[in-house]
Structure formats: structure tokens, C-alpha cells
Amino acid sequence: MFQAFLIKYGEIGIKGKNRHLFEDALMQQIKYALKPVEGEFKVSKEQGRVYVEALSEFDYEEAVASLERVFGIVGICPAVLLEDQGFDKLCQDVVSYLDACYPDKHKTFKVHARRARKDYPMESMEINAKLGEKILQAFPEMKVDVHEPEILLNIEIRQKINLYSQVIPGPGGMPVGTSGKGMLLLSGGIDSPVAGYMIAKRGVKIDAVYFHAPPYTSERAKQKVVDLAKLVARYSGPIYLKVVNFTDIQLYIYEKCPHEELTIIMRRYMMKIAEHFARETGSMGLITGESIGQVASQTMQSLAATNEVCTMPVYRPLIGFDKQEIIDVAERIGTYETSILPYEDCCTIFVAKHPVTKPNLKMIRRSEQKLAEKIDEMVQAAIETAETIIVRE
């Protein structure tokens, strides 16, 4: 019976004079999300509400699933949009709606009317009382509960009358693209896909870079990262994924530098290469899945050492999360099962037995001087031979 969805948004509503820009961005994201859904849709806005109207037969479940992945939406309300044909006709429509939606009438209810159109001849409280009376006459087994009703029947008097009782939670956040662009350092682990999701939720358009180390890492490890990028792209939109061959650089560092410093120095060169691509694509910062103290390379001192080579900001949306909290988000967004597949990436292949946890920057720089002969040439070769994969859902 539903041919429309009333879309509720959250913090977009407090954007003042710029609110229309965020509403327009949200509408664009909704249109993009609904493209693969069977059916034709019209997306419009009116007085703090966004509407999705089906212009043809459509797949209801698929449409809802697509809308549930659009950042900026806090509520998806399957709604009936009624022309104002007088209060008696509204009463008939409400009774028909309840009869169709709730076969079991042994439920409590509350009517919640709002008048966005103040020229309507009845006030909200009067609408609540009279509609409640009509419902009780039609369905004597139903009861009113104004505190914790099983059915909250919403009546919004607008240009058309909006009738709905179900609010499907959306992901919240801000529409993708309203907060600039960032470059995600994506690996095959649990953390970085979640970091990409979390930063995209704040409106950031993301691209990604993955460091591949053949033959030590397999093509299946690379495909695992592409699969993770596809899962994140369900929420973030298309991702331009740079695949960097990092083998020669890792082997050179392994040969020349103290093994306890290997992870830190390797991370520093990853950050340098990622920053190059970030500047090339117009990104405003780097994004990583690091969280304080999770591993040796994520102590405060280690993070400071890797930050030192960057000239643009590094954003770490998971910085205060513990592992279980990260896993919970990964399970919710569908990346966890892929992340735990047993295909190792370059971050896990070249790991020292006893990595330094409190690196001394002077010592790190001194070790990096041993790389001076070839490292710039190697970095340039890695940049020039990087593969670009356009990842879509």
C-alpha cells in the first residue's frame, strides 16, 4: 500500500541558511542509492521533509535497504500521502490504513497530529481527540495509551496529508560529499574499512590506497581488499582505489634498517605515498584505522613518528575505540566476515618479533639515512606503477 517514503534528517536541520545545500546533497545521494532499485522514483523536498515517491511498481524491500545506507537519513517512514478532502474522508482513510497495516487489532495506539499548514480548520489536539474517537468506534478492541503505545499514528497536515506509523532507523550522519574528500589507507584488516565507513558518515567522500607486496601477498589478498572497498562503497559511493606495489620498498627497508624499527619506517613511507595520491586527487587529509595502543605501531609515540612525515592532516576516526567496538561496527556494516578471511597483506607479512613501541625520532631519521641511495627512486617507481581500480557497490 506504500507508494512513498517520508525521509527524516537530523543535524541537517540545524544548518541555518546553508540547510538547503545539505538537503540538495541528501536528495542527490538518495537518487544515486535508488538507481539500481527496480522502479521509477521522484525525490522532492518540502518544509524540512524529503519525499521519495514511487512512480511505478517497485521492490519495496530493496528500496528500504538502499535508503538505510544513505548517510544523512535518520528515519525512513513508509507513508500514505493523502489529498485534503475534508476531515470525514481523513477519518475513513485512517481507519482503512490501520485495518490494512495491523490485522491484529488488540493493540494500544496514540494519534499524533501536527499542523505544518496552519490554515487547517482544526487544531492538533482536536484532530488527535476526534481521530482517536473514530478509531475506537471502528475497532473497539483497540485501546489508547499516550505514554507507550504499540502504534504511534502520525498525521502531518502539509500540502498533502502525511499518514505513517512506522519509522525505520537510518544511519544518521551527513550526506557524502558535504565535508570534502579524504584518502583512506585501506588494508585487508578489520579496522580500516570501519574507519572509511565512519569518516564517510561525517560527509567525507573517500578514495583509498592499498599497499600490495607480491609475491609475499597473493592476488587473493588484493581481491579481498577490493571486496572490502565494495562493501564500504555501498555507503560511501564509488571509491577510486590505488593499488601500490610496495615489495621492493619493504625489502629495501628490511635489508637496511633495524628490524625493531621496520614497521614504523614502513608506515612512514606508506604515509608519504598516500599523501602524494591525496594531493593528486584533491583530498584534504589522510584517513587510517589506527586506535591508540592497539598494536606497537599505534602507541602515542609511534603515531607521532608516522605523523611527522605528513604535511596534511591525518584523521583517525577509531582513535578511542577498543577492538570489540570496532568489530561491532564491522559486523553491522557487513565487512567483518571479509576482513577475517585468511589472506595476509603487506602489513602482516613483514612484522618484527620485537617492534619498538616508543620510537625515538632522531634514531628513526638516522636509520632512514641508510635508505638515501635508492629510496626516492623506489618511491617514484611505486607511484608511477600504481594501478587504479574504480570500485562500486
Side-chain angles (χ1 to χ4, degrees):
M1 68 181 296
F2 298 110
Q3 289 296 309
F5 297 97
L6 184 149
I7 304 297
K8 294 186 175 183
Y9 53 69
E11 57 189 292
I12 290 175
I14 61 172
K15 293 300 180 183
K17 293 180 180 179
N18 290 326
R19 188 168 84 177
H20 70 283
L21 300 175
F22 291 89
E23 289 175 334
D24 291 346
L26 177 60
M27 290 168 64
Q28 284 301 115
Q29 291 298 315
I30 289 171
K31 289 175 185 175
Y32 178 80
L34 291 173
K35 267 187 179 179
V37 177
E38 181 185 341
E40 187 181 351
F41 301 91
K42 174 189 172 186
V43 183
S44 59
K45 65 177 179 177
E46 175 203 326
Q47 292 180 306
R49 288 284 188 269
V50 173
Y51 295 92
V52 176
E53 296 179 66
L55 305 178
S56 65
E57 292 295 317
F58 72 104
D59 188 320
Y60 174 86
E61 298 294 338
E62 192 181 355
V64 170
S66 297
L67 292 171
E68 285 179 313
R69 297 193 294 266
V70 177
F71 291 131
I73 295 177
V74 299
I76 305 156
C77 310
V80 177
L81 306 183
L82 305 169
E83 298 291 344
D84 184 3
Q85 300 177 43
F87 187 72
D88 289 340
K89 182 66 167 70
L90 175 60
C91 291
Q92 292 174 24
D93 290 334
V94 166
V95 168
S96 298
Y97 172 89
L98 287 172
D99 198 29
C101 291
Y102 301 98
D104 178 9
K105 303 299 186 296
H106 293 86
K107 293 185 180 293
T108 59
F109 75 95
K110 174 185 176 180
V111 180
H112 180 233
R114 291 181 60 194
R115 292 188 312 153
R117 181 158 57 84
K118 300 303 180 186
D119 62 351
Y120 195 76
M122 298 170 66
E123 292 186 354
S124 298
M125 292 299 290
E126 189 179 0
I127 296 170
N128 291 342
K130 292 195 173 182
L131 269 177
E133 183 181 349
K134 293 289 185 183
I135 292 168
L136 290 172
Q137 288 174 1
F139 310 116
E141 60 270 49
M142 297 186 84
K143 292 181 180 179
V144 174
D145 183 344
V146 297
H147 299 295
E148 293 183 3
E150 294 172 275
I151 303 169
L152 178 59
L153 187 66
N154 292 280
I155 315 285
E156 294 190 5
I157 311 294
R158 297 176 177 272
Q159 251 185 338
K160 289 185 177 181
I161 297 174
N162 303 338
L163 172 59
Y164 64 95
S165 59
Q166 184 184 9
V167 181
I168 302 165
M174 299 294 291
V176 171
T178 56
S179 301
K181 185 190 279 191
M183 179 62 70
L184 172 68
L185 279 79
L186 182 62
S187 74
I190 297 170
D191 303 341
S192 57
V194 173
Y197 167 88
M198 295 293 290
I199 204 80
K201 185 176 179 180
R202 298 309 308 155
V204 177
K205 172 77 178 72
I206 59 171
D207 290 330
V209 57
Y210 161 61
F211 293 91
H212 192 40
Y216 301 98
T217 54
S218 65
E219 279 300 305
R220 191 61 193 84
K222 174 182 165 184
Q223 186 57 47
K224 174 184 173 182
V225 173
V226 173
D227 292 343
L228 285 169
K230 284 181 181 179
L231 293 170
V232 176
R234 298 166 74 204
Y235 299 89
S236 70
I239 296 172
Y240 284 74
L241 175 65
K242 292 282 186 181
V243 179
V244 178
N245 189 328
F246 203 58
T247 310
D248 291 345
I249 294 173
Q250 281 189 292
L251 290 174
Y252 191 50
I253 294 170
Y254 192 82
E255 177 190 341
K256 297 287 186 180
C257 298
H259 284 195
E260 66 272 14
E261 296 175 357
L262 175 66
T263 304
I264 296 297
I265 295 173
M266 180 182 74
R267 291 289 295 172
R268 280 162 66 89
Y269 279 96
M270 284 181 172
M271 299 295 259
K272 286 180 180 181
I273 293 171
E275 188 172 78
H276 169 86
F277 290 123
R279 293 196 181 285
E280 194 173 75
T281 57
S283 292
M284 301 174 71
L286 303 179
I287 305 146
T288 77
E290 293 159 318
S291 128
I292 291 177
Q294 189 173 151
V295 291
S297 64
Q298 295 177 21
T299 63
M300 291 284 276
Q301 295 88 341
S302 296
L303 295 176
T306 51
N307 269 21
E308 196 251 352
V309 299
C310 301
T311 58
M312 60 170 52
V314 181
Y315 300 103
R316 297 180 170 94
L318 309 184
I319 197 71
F321 282 41
D322 63 33
K323 195 65 178 184
Q324 188 57 51
E325 289 172 318
I326 298 170
I327 289 171
D328 290 345
V329 178
E331 289 177 333
R332 193 174 77 242
I333 66 176
T335 58
Y336 180 72
E337 292 300 326
T338 303
S339 290
I340 62 173
L341 291 174
Y343 304 105
E344 295 182 310
D345 57 33
C346 68
C347 296
T348 51
I349 294 294
F350 293 90
V351 175
K353 288 183 179 179
H354 303 288
V356 61
T357 57
K358 296 180 180 179
N360 182 304
L361 261 177
K362 286 183 180 179
M363 292 177 66
I364 295 292
R365 291 196 201 104
R366 193 178 303 139
S367 297
E368 287 178 343
Q369 288 174 4
K370 300 172 186 176
L371 306 171
E373 184 182 349
K374 294 183 182 177
I375 195 66
D376 290 343
E377 181 184 329
M378 287 180 163
V379 167
Q380 190 59 37
I383 288 170
E384 290 174 358
T385 58
E387 176 188 5
T388 302
I389 301 172
I390 303 173
V391 180
R392 292 184 172 88
E393 179 189 347

